[in-house]
Amino acid sequence: MKDQWRLLLTGDRTAAENMAIDRAILVAHSLGVVPPTIRFYRWKPAAISIGYFQSLNEEVNREACKQLNIDCVRRITGGGAVFHEHELTYSIVVSELHPLIPKNILESYGLICQALIEGFSHLGIASQYAPINDILVKGKKISGNAQTRKLQTVLQHGTILLDVDVDKMFRLLKVPNEKLKDKLITQAKERVTSLRQVTGGDISFETVANAMKHGFEKTFDTSLELGILTKEEQMYAKDFITSCFGNDDWNDMR
Amino acid sequence: MEKRIVYKVPGGKLLKIFLLIEKRTMTIKDIRITGDFFAHPEESIEGLEQTLRGKPLANKALFDSINSFIHDQQVQLIGIDARSLTDAIVRGIL
């Protein structure tokens, strides 16, 4: 009998809720009270998340975010700033001690990204892992990923772009050099793609979630059972919103 | 003297470092290391910043401090390393 993992579909959430839920699952799994978990989710309102080591003021045009009702949050994972709008976001929480999880962090990126690649393949789309943390379709980035390890537990989350609005993204994100902005926008349009561009049409969140579910099941030789956030996880998440992701002290920490 | 250093690590991530320099002694008064890199455990970067305070802005001394901190604390850096951190920080002299 296959290992059974939990699947969570938590729908639309705020940025602080989403980051708090991922961390809550990490804590619950580290205590051994919930199985390894895959979650698929969205952001409402649309949001920008920055990497743990970034500075919101340095990366984000906060005035523009306010005007367009865009949430901003610092992740517990490293990596870059991401504009979350038309995408499927996943997270995976699994013990570092799980026999399938490589001790080596880069190798574990590769393995988790392999699940997404299987998922794309289920949609009939060929994709490649581009270390450190990207997945490409026809040479263009379609997915970015970020991992942390705490309490002997791996948390990796990442995005799969359903559609992308590069112009809007550049209104919200700051660039290192304003003079180069037009050039950077042109470059980004050449370097980033989405499922909409790849398939030439609309593809639903549910279709992509289903494909990615297959990808994770295949890669981790498991079956994903739809579950719910436990009472404890909801409680941890609420605490993390207050102490962390919904708190300016955290979001403006660097 | 305040410096903001933006340094693209060759083959790696983008470092943005905020440096407060004690001009008289050319030492680091304060430093904040930001960027889109990865470090495990994440909190170790704060410890590294702490360690670098008071250190001279000299290539070899900086590299040695960063390198021994990373080894002693068993920090795993992804997208940056001791070399690129040093190269970025010493730009503060320019």
Side-chain angles (χ1 to χ4, degrees):
Chain A
M1 171 122 174
K2 277 189 184 174
D3 216 16
Q4 235 179 47
W5 290 18
R6 179 176 59 157
L7 175 66
L8 292 177
L9 301 170
T10 51
D12 295 335
R13 303 277 185 147
T14 66
E17 282 173 335
N18 273 329
M19 293 300 91
I21 292 170
D22 277 351
R23 193 165 180 181
I25 300 167
L26 184 153
V27 171
H29 185 59
S30 78
L31 296 171
V33 294
V34 298
T37 298
I38 307 291
R39 180 168 79 103
F40 297 131
Y41 57 101
R42 285 193 274 208
W43 309 67
K44 198 170 185 178
I48 287 175
S49 73
I50 59 163
Y52 179 84
F53 305 105
Q54 293 186 305
S55 153
L56 264 182
N57 284 332
E58 188 70 17
E59 301 301 326
V60 178
N61 181 339
R62 301 183 86 167
E63 203 48 49
C65 286
K66 230 176 249 168
Q67 281 167 13
L68 297 174
N69 187 32
I70 306 290
D71 268 0
C72 293
V73 72
R74 175 186 306 281
R75 302 190 303 269
I76 48 169
T77 51
V82 182
F83 174 42
H84 305 276
E85 191 175 39
H86 307 294
E87 66 173 39
L88 177 146
T89 316
Y90 78 89
S91 64
I92 173 173
V93 173
V94 57
S95 169
E96 255 186 324
L97 307 174
H98 190 286
L100 281 176
I101 295 294
K103 293 278 167 285
N104 180 285
I105 292 174
L106 277 179
E107 279 175 33
S108 65
Y109 269 106
L111 180 70
I112 296 168
C113 286
Q114 186 56 39
L116 305 184
I117 288 168
E118 292 286 353
F120 283 122
S121 157
H122 203 77
L123 295 167
I125 296 165
S127 61
Q128 296 85 36
Y129 172 51
I132 302 164
N133 58 327
D134 292 340
I135 295 173
L136 311 181
V137 171
K138 290 183 182 154
K140 296 180 172 191
K141 177 168 171 172
I142 200 161
S143 164
N145 305 275
Q147 183 183 130
T148 185
R149 295 182 176 207
K150 291 187 192 313
L151 308 170
Q152 288 200 308
T153 307
V154 176
L155 161 65
Q156 183 168 312
H157 43 208
T159 66
I160 292 156
L161 286 169
L162 303 181
D163 198 358
V164 61
D165 184 343
V166 171
D167 293 303
K168 188 173 181 184
M169 187 169 89
F170 274 90
R171 279 167 67 192
L172 301 168
L173 294 177
K174 285 185 183 170
V175 293
N177 186 341
E178 276 297 317
K179 285 182 206 155
L180 295 175
K181 191 160 182 167
D182 289 342
K183 198 179 150 196
L184 289 169
I185 293 175
T186 309
Q187 274 179 359
K189 285 178 180 170
E190 286 163 4
R191 286 177 188 171
V192 177
T193 191
S194 67
L195 283 172
R196 187 186 183 86
Q197 280 178 33
V198 171
T199 61
D202 272 329
I203 184 161
S204 74
F205 179 92
E206 289 71 24
T207 305
V208 181
N210 190 48
M212 294 301 151
K213 175 177 180 273
H214 280 282
F216 279 103
E217 286 180 328
K218 189 170 172 191
T219 304
F220 291 96
D221 192 28
T222 177
S223 88
L224 285 173
E225 288 296 312
L226 191 60
I228 53 164
L229 272 180
T230 64
K231 282 255 157 29
E232 288 77 14
E233 285 170 316
Q234 293 177 37
M235 200 178 70
Y236 300 149
K238 217 175 148 193
D239 285 350
F240 282 134
I241 290 172
T242 312
S243 66
C244 196
F245 306 105
N247 189 323
D248 290 345
D249 288 347
W250 165 265
N251 287 322
D252 287 314
M253 180 175 71
R254 296 182 86 76
Chain B
M1 184 170 52
E2 253 186 86
K3 289 270 184 172
R4 175 180 176 273
I5 302 153
V6 180
Y7 179 77
K8 169 71 175 70
V9 179
K13 299 290 188 182
L14 188 73
L15 275 169
K16 290 185 186 174
I17 295 177
F18 301 88
L19 199 57
L20 199 59
I21 301 170
E22 180 67 68
K23 222 176 163 185
R24 194 175 46 85
T25 50
M26 284 312 274
T27 51
I28 296 172
K29 202 168 176 185
D30 201 3
I31 183 167
R32 183 118 287 196
I33 301 164
T34 78
D36 61 353
F37 56 90
F38 297 92
H40 303 269
E42 284 79 5
E43 294 74 17
S44 59
I45 293 297
E46 280 128 47
L48 178 61
E49 290 168 344
Q50 186 94 28
T51 299
L52 290 175
R53 281 182 206 132
K55 293 283 187 304
L57 270 172
N59 202 312
K60 181 154 189 330
L62 272 180
F63 178 80
D64 290 346
S65 316
I66 296 171
N67 207 28
S68 52
F69 180 88
I70 289 168
H71 280 102
D72 295 349
Q73 305 290 319
Q74 297 181 308
V75 183
Q76 285 192 66
L77 297 176
I78 300 175
I80 58 170
D81 57 14
R83 184 75 264 155
S84 52
L85 270 170
T86 308
D87 289 346
I89 296 167
V90 294
R91 291 189 167 213
I93 305 170
L94 303 176

